[in-house]
Structure formats: C-alpha cells, structure tokens
Amino acid sequence: MKINWLKVVLVSVSIAVAGYFIGNMHKTAKQYDRFVQVKGLSEREVDADLAVWPINITLTANNLMTLKKDIENQNEALYNYFVEQGFKKEELTQGSTNINDTWSDLYNNKNAQFRYLAKSEFTVRTKNIGQLQKALSESTDLMTKGILISSKNTWRPIEYIFDGLNDIKPSMIEESTKNAREVADKFALDSDSKVGKIRMAKQGLFTISDRDLNTPQIKVVRVVSTIDFQLED
C-alpha cells in the first residue's frame, strides 16, 4: 500500500499545533487563576451642608375659638422670629396643627385645667448651618413672648445632612482603588510576585454617619472597594 506522506505530514503538523494551543491555553488559564483579592478604604470628614429643624408649638385652651386665635398669633410670631434671624421665606414651612380634646379621653382626668391641647408644626430647612445653630441657642427668647416651642425629635433637635456626595465620589473611588493596590503590592512582595492588571472590581456602598454624638454637623463619608488583582512572576 502506497503511503501518502503529504497527508501524514499535514496530520502530524495539525496535531502538534493543536497540542501547542491546548497547552498554551492551559498555561494561560493557570496564570489567570493567580490573583489576590484585597479591600481598599477611603474615608473623609465633611461638614453637613443642609440642616432641618422640625419644631412643635404647644398651646392649651378651653375654647376652640380662643385656641384658633392663639395658634395663628404664635405661628406668626415664630415666623417673624426666624425672619428677624435672617432666614428666607422659602426656608420656613408651616405644617399641620393637631388638637386633642383631653376631656374626651376615657383614661384622662376630666378635672384637668385645660380641655384642649394643640401642637402646631413648623419646620426650618436651610443650608446656613451656623445661622440655624444661633437661632437654636437664642430660641429661649420666645418664652418671654409666651411661646412654648420644642423640637419634634427630642433625641436630635436638628437633623444635619450632607448633600454633596456626588461631588466627592470620583476622588474617593480613586483613593480606595489606590489603597487596594498598596495592599496588593505588599501581598505580592511577601509572595515573590508582582501585581498585574485588575481582574475584577466591586465598589462598595457609600455610608455617611455622624463623627460623634456631640458634633452631628460633621459627617464621616466611607467607602470600601473590593478588587481582584492578577499576580505575575
């Protein structure tokens, strides 16, 4: 039988080439499996840029018409107080008024001096943090006018908010990535390797919290990124 050497050579070359590529793919896959997963942190202290102060005005009376007049007068007086403090009209919002008939409460003492208890809501929302803190410290002056106010949230009279997260996001992500790279470099040095390209990256959630209980107007912004880096010889 006559052997077709050309076909034999072609088949042999094909097998050799296929073997090379299979081996190279296996080697590449093994190299791709060599990676280190690290976390990078970015943390900043920022000043709150928005403050909200929800206020309650408390009034008592035995006559609804008298109570209505007192509510209107005190709401106007409170509004004028904040205007005199330098606040703008759009920063002041008058809310609803809740009136409770204490004598209709089965569990309440009907011999109470005042039948009606009213709470009128008023909210100050401003970006001028210092101005609002000054108004808070001087709010006792309202007592001389017979106006009894209290913060709706007794545990936190003023809510401080940081509204500028989008402005610092890019630089914080860059910083957390850089921090992760430094951690990966240290790991690679200890294992006689080098850090290569990023294999996969996951950006964590941004969190905003008070620096401490005494300074809620200062916030801590934090983000943790999880990054996989390739390792090379």
Side-chain angles (χ1 to χ4, degrees):
M1 182 176 62
K2 187 177 180 181
I3 300 175
N4 190 332
W5 290 106
L6 179 58
K7 290 184 179 180
V8 172
V9 171
L10 289 175
V11 171
S12 300
V13 170
S14 299
I15 294 173
V17 171
Y20 169 78
F21 280 110
I22 292 173
N24 190 59
M25 289 174 60
H26 180 72
K27 180 180 178 182
T28 302
K30 286 294 183 182
Q31 289 177 344
Y32 188 74
D33 284 340
R34 294 186 60 210
F35 68 94
V36 59
Q37 184 178 91
V38 293
K39 295 183 182 297
L41 170 67
S42 178
E43 194 173 74
R44 293 187 187 180
E45 284 190 4
V46 296
D47 293 327
D49 50 17
L50 178 65
V52 181
W53 184 13
I55 302 170
N56 280 334
I57 307 174
T58 304
L59 304 97
T60 55
N62 285 323
N63 182 279
L64 285 176
M65 293 303 296
T66 300
L67 183 61
K68 178 178 180 296
K69 184 177 180 180
D70 289 344
I71 290 172
E72 291 173 349
N73 290 338
Q74 292 203 11
N75 279 337
E76 183 179 0
L78 185 61
Y79 177 86
N80 291 335
Y81 167 76
F82 283 107
V83 170
E84 291 168 2
Q85 289 281 334
F87 291 92
K88 300 176 182 178
K89 180 180 179 180
E90 57 268 21
E91 296 176 313
L92 310 174
T93 304
Q94 183 178 328
S96 61
T97 299
N98 297 313
I99 301 175
N100 182 31
D101 185 351
T102 60
W103 291 0
S104 66
D105 189 343
L106 296 176
Y107 300 97
N108 199 12
N109 183 6
K110 289 184 172 56
N111 294 322
Q113 182 179 359
F114 297 103
R115 177 174 181 176
Y116 299 109
L117 173 66
K119 286 191 175 182
S120 182
E121 297 178 349
F122 193 93
T123 303
V124 184
R125 184 183 180 91
T126 180
K127 289 183 175 294
N128 195 328
I129 308 296
Q131 188 180 47
L132 187 60
Q133 290 175 329
K134 178 177 178 291
L136 174 62
S137 65
E138 297 178 0
S139 61
T140 52
D141 294 343
L142 292 167
M143 295 177 62
T144 62
K145 301 179 180 180
I147 302 175
L148 179 62
I149 69 168
S150 60
S151 297
K152 191 173 181 180
N153 301 324
T154 55
W155 62 279
R156 177 176 289 188
I158 298 178
E159 181 183 3
Y160 295 97
I161 302 166
F162 176 64
D163 200 31
L165 181 59
N166 288 335
D167 295 332
I168 63 174
K169 263 186 177 182
S171 59
M172 288 191 69
I173 293 173
E174 180 182 353
E175 185 178 352
S176 66
T177 303
K178 182 180 178 181
N179 179 251
R181 180 82 187 206
E182 291 172 354
V183 176
D185 285 337
K186 180 63 169 61
F187 180 90
L189 181 64
D190 294 340
S191 60
D192 293 328
S193 302
K194 293 181 180 179
V195 177
K197 297 180 179 180
I198 292 177
R199 181 174 182 265
M200 184 174 64
K202 295 180 181 178
Q203 178 194 312
L205 294 176
F206 279 84
T207 61
I208 303 175
S209 58
D210 298 343
R211 185 179 68 176
D212 53 58
L213 293 176
N214 296 319
T215 54
Q217 71 273 21
I218 301 177
K219 303 295 184 181
V220 175
V221 183
R222 191 172 186 267
V223 65
V224 177
S225 299
T226 303
I227 303 177
D228 294 353
F229 287 99
Q230 290 293 148
L231 292 179
E232 302 171 353
D233 293 330

